[in-house]
Structure formats: C-alpha cells, structure tokens
Amino acid sequence: MTATVIAIDGPAGSGKSTTARAVAQRLGLAHLDSGALYRAATLAALDGAAEITGTAVLALAKSLPVRLNLTASGFRPEIAGVDVSAEIRTDRVTQRVSEVAALPELRVWVNQALRSAAAMHPRGVVMDGRDIGTVVFPDAIIKVFLIADGEERARRRLLQMGRSTDAGSVRRTADDMAERDRKDSSRAVAPLTQAAGAVLLDTTDLAFEEQVDRVVAMGRKVFS
Ligand code: DC
C-alpha cells in the first residue's frame, strides 16, 4: 500500500513537529516525527555504550528493537517496548543525534521503518524531518519547507522547554541549533535541503495558528 504523505522539512526548531502535529489533528491524519527515530537510536547507543558507527548502532537498533509504534495517540518512539518520548528530548541525546543521523546504514533502516509506519495508517500521515520531501517520500502529495530566523527559533525552543529566554540563553541555543543545522546540511547522505516542489514557508513573523492554517489549506485540497 502506498502512503499518502504531507512532508514537512526544515532546520532545528523551525516548528516542524508542532506544526505537523496540529495539521495532522485538523485533517484527521497521523503525525509522524521522523527525528524521534534518530533520537531513539541515539539514546539506545548512549545507554548501550555502543560505538557510534553504522554497524554498531544499526545492530543495536534492530536487536532491541528501536521502533515507532502506532498507538491510539499516534506514533510513539520505543526501545525494547518502553516508551522513550521524554528521554529522547534530553540534552545528552540532542548533542549526539546529528552524529548518529549522519550514519548512512542507519538512514537506510530508518527510511524503511518510516515508509512501513506510514503505510500502516489508513488515511495518511504528516511526516516531519530533514529529508522527507527529498529522499523518504519524494512523491509526497504536499511538501513544505519550514524556516524561521535563528534567534526566533531559539526563543520558541526555550519557551517550549519552559526555560528562560534571556539574551544569553537565546544566543547559546541559537548557536547550538546553527551548529546542528550545519552538520545536518553538510553531511554526505540526505543533507537538509529544500525539496523540488516544496513550498517555502518562513514562519518568523507568523503566529502558530497562521502557519498551521497555511498547511491545512494546502491539505484541504487533497484531503476532504
Ligand atoms: O527534528 P529533530 O531535532 O528531532 O531531529 C533530530 C536529528 O535527526 C537532527 O540532527 C536531524 C536528524 N534528522 C534527519 O537527519 N533526518 C530526518 N528525517 C529527521 C531528523
């Protein structure tokens, strides 16, 4: 079965996941956060003290297993059957995830997992990530590339985590995000880039509801 997919890609903190979740809810689709699988594989590697190589991380991810499980509330990242939604957001995972996401062997495995997960949903999915429109679903029915100013992205991320948005924290977070974007955009395999046919949406000056409305409007033309 081929999945019907709305692909939302963009840099760290551009609001992809929150937008994708809200769009999915409005259109009666499932939300699938592809970064969660890279994060879960990273957590598994750190907890298992595995070497960060394609062979080692892939073997661990397959054996535990690391997976996205479709539950009543959506796709949930699990390691050996345990929900790791909270643990994959910790700083120690965030600091190492770009390294793990650059492993070509792991990317092949993740892409297969994403395609099978999407095919499990009867209506379709809103999938967010870095290479959904370019590599995982190049034929996605709608593609969006979400961007926003670096400091604005940092501020939103800090607010989301309930942290202080003083100037120093915003600058440090913006620097960390810029470094992660640099790694994600310069890697050899599936670098972060706007897909052919993707609609560019700059959310710097958009309210959250507005950015969701824009994508929902595109989706309504396809999903009635
Ligand atoms: O969106 P996020 O911050 O949770 O993503 C975590 C990491 O995984 C980030 O370094 C980019 C990478 N990633 C990727 O390479 N391809 C995807 N489709 C999704 C995420």
Side-chain angles (χ1 to χ4, degrees), residues 36-37 39-45 56-69 76-84 88 106 109-110 113:
L37 207 45
R39 286 175 176 273
T42 306
L43 176 65
V57 180
L58 183 59
L60 196 60
K62 282 183 176 174
S63 68
L64 285 165
V66 171
R67 65 176 192 150
L68 287 175
N69 189 18
R76 188 170 71 186
E78 291 181 355
I79 297 180
V82 177
D83 179 2
V84 291
I88 63 170
L106 188 75
W109 178 78
V110 165

Side-chain angles (χ1 to χ4, degrees), residues 7-20:
I8 304 184
D9 290 302
S14 57
K16 299 179 302 290
S17 281
T18 41
T19 305

Side-chain angles (χ1 to χ4, degrees), residues 18-102:
T18 41
T19 305
R21 189 174 307 115
V23 169
Q25 202 165 25
R26 296 248 313 257
L27 294 174
L29 307 172
H31 168 225
L32 200 158
D33 167 9
S34 65
L37 207 45
Y38 289 105
R39 286 175 176 273
T42 306
L43 176 65
L46 294 176
D47 284 353
E51 242 189 301
I52 308 288
T53 64
T55 317
V57 180
L58 183 59
L60 196 60
K62 282 183 176 174
S63 68
L64 285 165
V66 171
R67 65 176 192 150
L68 287 175
N69 189 18
L70 182 56
T71 68
S73 57
F75 289 97
R76 188 170 71 186
E78 291 181 355
I79 297 180
V82 177
D83 179 2
V84 291
S85 310
E87 290 85 342
I88 63 170
R89 305 283 156 204
T90 53
D91 285 342
R92 76 186 181 109
V93 173
T94 301
Q95 279 158 14
R96 302 297 297 276
V97 65
S98 286
E99 213 179 309
V100 171

Side-chain angles (χ1 to χ4, degrees), residues 2 41 56 59 64 79 115 137 144 178 180 201 203:
T2 44
L64 285 165
I79 297 180
R115 293 183 189 119
F137 286 102
V144 178
R180 205 142 65 84
L201 191 57
T203 70

Side-chain angles (χ1 to χ4, degrees), residues 3 6 14 27 31 48-49 55 63 78 90 104 111 121 134 152 167 181 185-186 197 201 206 216:
I6 296 181
S14 57
L27 294 174
H31 168 225
T55 317
S63 68
E78 291 181 355
T90 53
N111 293 349
H121 200 271
T134 51
E152 179 57 25
D181 291 342
S185 307
S186 62
L201 191 57
L206 287 184
V216 167

